């Protein structure tokens, strides 16, 4: 394994899923349903049903579109359809009198940076094998970025940009990519809380103190990415920078994508992710017009100075109440990461 890759250790683990046949022996034309309880989100509901929420997130939304608030949130007390999942299982029969049990063996790799709860990355495909991706979340360390008050607590841009970036990294790794997380916090991991606690212990890859001065911070990130780019010369390499916008309080915005005016590949990457978002909105929010764009923004320091083809993403407005609800919801952060990853796949496979 390349010594510059983010630290991880490999594990192979077995998950034993035991249940009575009577509980899952539905007729072929039947669909399992479950009632949403207070506090349930799509991710937590699927987990409780023993289903990988990241693999079947879109399936769940498609099956329950007319029964979701804002095309993504559950209503407490309503019944929801559960995707049918074929388990790679081995039947274990202890005796004729006892009910059959099933054992599911799942293999994966564990990445400590994602946190204990989300550490394991299951392999989805090799579609991005050999590709190198650099992920930079905005601000961090001494600079929390834009801040706002939510329910009497302060929330900061860098925490939410970092959470989305980690989720995106996990998606890309699951498809075989080599991923560098440039701004990193070994203590946070992927978090499923709405209000993410603010800290200032983020470092720059591999373990560099982030400068207080803004220009020094940006220069540090550029140097890290460009050095790694040189070491991987000849490979397919892309850079994705993630920020949470901080426009005026009253302005509700969609997700925007920027690229360098002279980078054909950067434009294609931004356009591919933008196209993916358009299709997702058409599918899941057909009555809502998606106003996000992809455009040249060569004046941005990271856009101008970094060597890999790249896109700079602005996700929502942390100072807008409507956008706050969208960014704070962990289901939404997962959806954003998954949609970005699908745009990355589209870009590579075009």
């Amino acid at each position: 394994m390349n010594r510059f890759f983010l630290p991880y250790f490999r594990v192979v683990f077995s998950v034993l899923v035991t249940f009575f046949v009577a509980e899952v022996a539905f007729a072929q034309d039947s669909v399992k349903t479950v009632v949403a309880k207070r506090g349930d989100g799509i991710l937590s509901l699927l987990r409780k049903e023993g289903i990988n929420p990241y693999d079947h997130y879109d399936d769940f939304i498609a099956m329950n579109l007319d029964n979701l608030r804002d095309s993504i949130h559950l209503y407490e007390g309503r019944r929801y359809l559960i995707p049918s999942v074929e388990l790679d299982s081995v039947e274990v029969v202890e005796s004729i009198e006892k009910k059959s049990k099933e054992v599911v063996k799942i293999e994966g790799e564990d990445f400590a940076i994602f946190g204990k709860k989300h550490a394991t990355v299951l392999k989805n495909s090799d579609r991005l094998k050999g590709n190198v991706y650099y992920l930079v979340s905005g601000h961090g360390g001494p600079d929390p970025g834009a801040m706002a008050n939510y329910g009497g607590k302060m929330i900061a841009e860098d925490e939410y940009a970092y959470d989305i970036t980690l989720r995106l990294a996990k998606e890309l790794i699951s498809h075989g990519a080599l991923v560098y997380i440039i701004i990193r916090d070994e203590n946070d991991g992927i978090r499923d809380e709405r209000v993410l606690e603010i800290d200032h212990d983020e470092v720059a890859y591999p373990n560099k103190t982030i400068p207080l001065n803004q220009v020094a911070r940006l220069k540090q990130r550029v140097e890290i990415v460009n050095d790694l780019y040189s070491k991987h010369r000849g490979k397919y390499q892309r850079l994705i920078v993630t920020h949470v916008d901080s426009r005026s309080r009253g302005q509700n915005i969609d997700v925007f994508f920027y690229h360098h005016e002279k980078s054909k590949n950067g434009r294609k990457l931004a356009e591919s992710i933008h196209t993916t978002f358009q299709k997702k909105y058409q599918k899941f929010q057909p009555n809502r017009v998606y106003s996000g764009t992809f455009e040249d923004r060569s004046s941005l320091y990271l856009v101008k100075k970094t060597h890999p083809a790249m896109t700079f993403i602005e996700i929502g407005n942390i100072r807008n109440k409507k956008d706050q609800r969208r960014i704070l919801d962990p289901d939404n952060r997962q959806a954003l990461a998954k949609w970005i990853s699908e745009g990355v796949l589209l870009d590579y496979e075009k």
Side-chain angles (χ1 to χ4, degrees), residues 160-210:
Y160 293 91
Y162 182 63
D163 190 73
I164 293 169
T165 295
L166 288 183
R167 294 171 186 270
L168 172 59
K170 189 170 182 178
E171 290 289 330
L172 298 180
I173 292 170
S174 78
H175 292 290
L178 177 63
V179 177
Y180 290 91
I181 301 171
I182 304 302
I183 303 303
R184 46 202 301 117
D185 187 330
E186 303 294 342
N187 302 318
D188 284 348
I190 294 173
R191 292 175 282 178
D192 291 329
E193 295 79 23
R194 294 181 63 83
V195 175
L196 302 182
E197 294 295 330
I198 300 172
D199 60 30
H200 304 283
D201 59 348
E202 294 85 8
V203 296
Y205 178 88
N207 191 30
K208 298 179 180 180
T209 300
I210 299 175

Side-chain angles (χ1 to χ4, degrees), residues 125-134 172-173 175-180 232-238 348:
S125 76
D126 288 321
R127 294 165 69 184
L128 298 176
K129 187 175 182 178
N131 294 5
V132 183
Y133 292 91
Y134 310 104
L172 298 180
I173 292 170
H175 292 290
L178 177 63
V179 177
Y180 290 91
H232 289 290
R233 191 173 301 279
K235 292 188 177 181
Y236 184 96
Q237 305 184 58
R238 295 292 184 266
Y348 178 64

Side-chain angles (χ1 to χ4, degrees), residues 210-223:
I210 299 175
L212 177 62
N213 179 270
Q214 181 184 18
V215 175
R217 283 200 308 272
L218 295 175
K219 184 178 180 182
Q220 180 188 63
R221 295 170 196 204
V222 167
E223 290 176 350

Side-chain angles (χ1 to χ4, degrees), residues 277-291:
F277 270 68
Q278 283 184 317
K279 291 180 178 179
K280 295 296 184 180
Y281 271 74
Q282 290 171 3
K283 180 178 180 180
F284 299 130
Q285 299 190 45
N287 298 321
R288 184 177 181 276
V289 177
Y290 174 62
S291 60

Side-chain angles (χ1 to χ4, degrees), residues 62-75:
M63 294 174 70
N64 295 282
L65 185 59
D66 295 334
N67 202 21
L68 296 170
R69 176 170 54 84
D70 297 331
S71 303
I72 199 169
H73 298 104
L74 306 178
Y75 288 100

